[in-house]
């Protein structure tokens, strides 16, 4: 069976102005006042797939919600401020997206964010486990290679763990790969699809250029440069912003793309495929990103790694030790929590 990658790029934005009323996803954004949270909330408010949008943060959410509520789309928007209002934000949610946390500054790795963001993600996912245990959980907060194991361990602690409903949003790596390949080949990026597997940091980001649609070929030196650019694209933005933050707008776009694909699949659309960092048996790592067939209950089928080149095989081998260490770090963090 052939699955086309979900490419809601132009389609999603065009669809956002349709008057479809058959869908009614209740979506929460945790960290909605931040650099990713605000543009992500705007894109979600703009979509007819969303009927209710609840926004949570520790500051500014009433203002963000009031601003978004004036937009002429059907999603009802409400802001929630501070931990005591978090339960009400989550009740009845179908999808929870978590971009909360601190961004990278120049010279920082995603792992440098660990202590602050691990605590934030553990706190927020604990609330999810208590107040919307059936919801799809989409984690954007870095380091994703550790925050997904944290989320899984928190849900296990509360006895509500379902590996088919917890997703690490790696979509920005795919979006970047599509864009960079399209630029080099003079193609329309909306028609390029590159699976990106592994994790979501540095050399754990493994673009499978050999599986690109349409088929593309690069000399080895250009392939190595392209791969390196995809892996370090986040750092490219951090440096360009010169201390003012990390990728926020492109991350919001990628986060919205993943949520729209997930909601489409939950609504019964068939053949929806996205890569995401999930519980996995595809490699020696207990979590690994590969193309996933999404369905009404979340992850329907892991489509695996597929046929790859020797260059890509080596990248996987090189990534696994770092991935295993990041996964263990996340799991150990939850075990050490009181």
């Amino acid at each position: 069976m052939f699955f086309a990658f979900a490419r809601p790029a132009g389609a999603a934005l065009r669809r956002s102005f349709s008057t479809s009323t058959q869908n009614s996803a209740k979506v929460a954004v945790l960290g909605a006042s931040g650099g990713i949270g605000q543009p992500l909330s705007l894109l979600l408010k703009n979509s007819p797939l969303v009927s209710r949008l609840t926004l949570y943060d520790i500051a500014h959410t009433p203002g963000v919600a009031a601003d978004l509520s004036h937009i002429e789309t059907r999603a009802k928007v409400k802001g929630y401020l501070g931990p005591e209002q978090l339960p009400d934000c989550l009740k009845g949610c179908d999808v929870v997206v978590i971009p909360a946390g601190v961004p990278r500054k120049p010279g920082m790795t995603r792992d440098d964010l660990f202590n602050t963001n691990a605590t934030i993600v553990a706190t927020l996912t604990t609330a999810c486990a208590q107040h919307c245990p059936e919801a799809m959980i989409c984690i954007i907060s870095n380091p994703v290679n550790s925050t997904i194991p944290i989320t899984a361990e928190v849900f296990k602690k509360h006895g509500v763990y379902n590996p088919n409903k917890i997703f690490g949003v790696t979509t920005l790596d795919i979006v970047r790969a599509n864009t960079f390949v399209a630029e080099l080949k003079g193609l329309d990026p909306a028609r390029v699809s590159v699976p990106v597997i592994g994790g979501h940091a540095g050399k754990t980001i493994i673009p499978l250029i050999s599986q690109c649609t349409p088929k593309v070929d690069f000399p080895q030196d250009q392939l190595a440069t392209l791969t390196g650019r995809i892996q370090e694209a986040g750092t490219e933005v951090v440096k360009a912003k010169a201390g003012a933050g990390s990728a926020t707008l492109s991350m919001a776009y990628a986060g919205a793309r993943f949520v729209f694909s997930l909601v489409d699949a939950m609504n019964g659309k068939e053949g929806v495929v996205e890569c995401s960092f999930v519980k996995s048996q595809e490699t020696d790592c207990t979590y690994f990103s590969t193309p996933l067939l999404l369905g009404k209950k979340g992850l329907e089928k892991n489509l695996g790694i597929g046929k790859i080149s020797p260059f890509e095989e080596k990248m996987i081998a090189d990534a696994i030790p770092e991935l295993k260490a990041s996964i263990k770090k996340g799991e150990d963090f939850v075990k050490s929590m009181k």
Side-chain angles (χ1 to χ4, degrees):
M1 191 172 182
F2 173 75
F3 297 105
F5 273 85
R7 290 309 313 277
L13 296 175
R14 283 193 299 276
R15 184 175 66 205
S16 296
F17 297 102
S18 78
T19 53
S20 162
T21 53
Q22 77 223 44
N23 313 306
S24 57
K26 297 178 178 72
V27 181
V29 179
L30 311 187
S33 300
I36 297 167
Q38 288 202 42
L40 173 60
S41 298
L42 173 61
L43 291 168
L44 294 172
K45 169 64 174 141
N46 201 35
S47 172
L49 294 173
V50 179
S51 63
R52 189 187 82 183
L53 186 60
T54 52
L55 310 179
Y56 172 81
D57 215 318
I58 54 170
H60 311 305
T61 27
V64 174
D67 196 355
L68 287 174
S69 72
H70 294 178
I71 291 171
E72 56 184 357
T73 55
R74 73 191 191 96
K76 298 280 184 283
V77 185
K78 189 167 179 190
Y80 296 83
L81 190 64
E84 62 288 343
Q85 293 187 7
L86 181 55
D88 286 339
C89 177
L90 294 171
K91 278 174 188 149
C93 280
D94 303 306
V95 180
V96 180
V97 199
I98 308 185
V102 294
R104 281 201 291 162
K105 298 273 193 326
M108 289 174 79
T109 66
R110 289 180 180 87
D111 200 51
D112 291 335
L113 306 172
F114 182 85
N115 288 333
T116 305
N117 287 2
T119 304
I120 291 168
V121 169
T123 303
L124 294 175
T125 54
T126 295
C128 293
Q130 291 167 335
H131 301 291
C132 56
E134 296 293 312
M136 306 290 172
I137 310 294
C138 307
I139 305 287
I140 291 172
S141 312
N142 274 317
V144 166
N145 293 356
S146 300
T147 55
I148 281 296
I150 286 171
T151 303
E153 292 303 312
V154 164
F155 270 67
K156 284 177 195 173
K157 264 193 174 181
H158 287 82
V160 291
Y161 177 57
N162 181 345
N164 297 329
K165 292 188 171 187
I166 296 174
F167 301 93
V169 181
T170 61
T171 316
L172 183 51
D173 299 324
I174 291 89
V175 166
R176 286 167 167 159
N178 294 343
T179 302
F180 300 165
V181 166
E183 283 172 357
L184 288 171
K185 292 294 185 187
L187 299 166
D188 174 359
R191 308 216 172 280
V192 176
S193 183
V194 180
V196 181
I197 66 167
H200 184 59
K203 69 179 182 185
T204 71
I205 297 168
I206 302 162
L208 301 182
I209 308 289
S210 72
Q211 292 183 16
C212 177
T213 346
K215 186 162 170 45
V216 292
D217 286 305
F218 294 99
Q220 185 56 40
D221 58 339
Q222 195 179 17
L223 180 63
T225 304
L226 169 62
T227 299
R229 188 181 175 208
I230 294 164
Q231 291 173 330
E232 295 304 323
T235 305
E236 188 179 305
V237 176
V238 170
K239 284 180 180 169
K241 288 197 174 181
S246 55
T248 54
L249 302 171
S250 53
M251 184 61 248
Y253 167 86
R257 168 180 154 171
F258 185 80
V259 171
F260 296 151
S261 290
L262 187 55
V263 173
D264 270 340
M266 290 163 71
N267 285 332
K269 184 175 177 182
E270 295 188 354
V272 179
V273 177
E274 289 282 2
C275 295
S276 180
F277 189 66
V278 294
K279 189 84 173 79
S280 175
Q281 296 175 319
E282 298 301 316
T283 66
D284 287 346
C285 292
T286 47
Y287 298 85
F288 201 83
S289 180
T290 43
L292 311 173
L293 177 64
L294 303 176
K296 289 185 178 180
K297 296 179 179 176
L299 195 173
E300 191 164 293
K301 186 183 181 192
N302 193 319
L303 301 178
I305 295 168
K307 186 169 180 288
I308 57 171
S309 70
F311 175 67
E312 292 159 352
E313 277 175 21
K314 184 177 187 306
M315 282 198 287
I316 293 174
D318 291 347
I320 283 184
E322 182 183 322
L323 257 180
K324 282 185 174 173
S326 297
I327 291 164
K328 185 175 187 301
K329 191 171 181 178
E331 290 173 339
D332 290 348
F333 179 83
V334 178
K335 285 173 188 152
S336 69
M337 280 166 56
K338 289 190 175 67

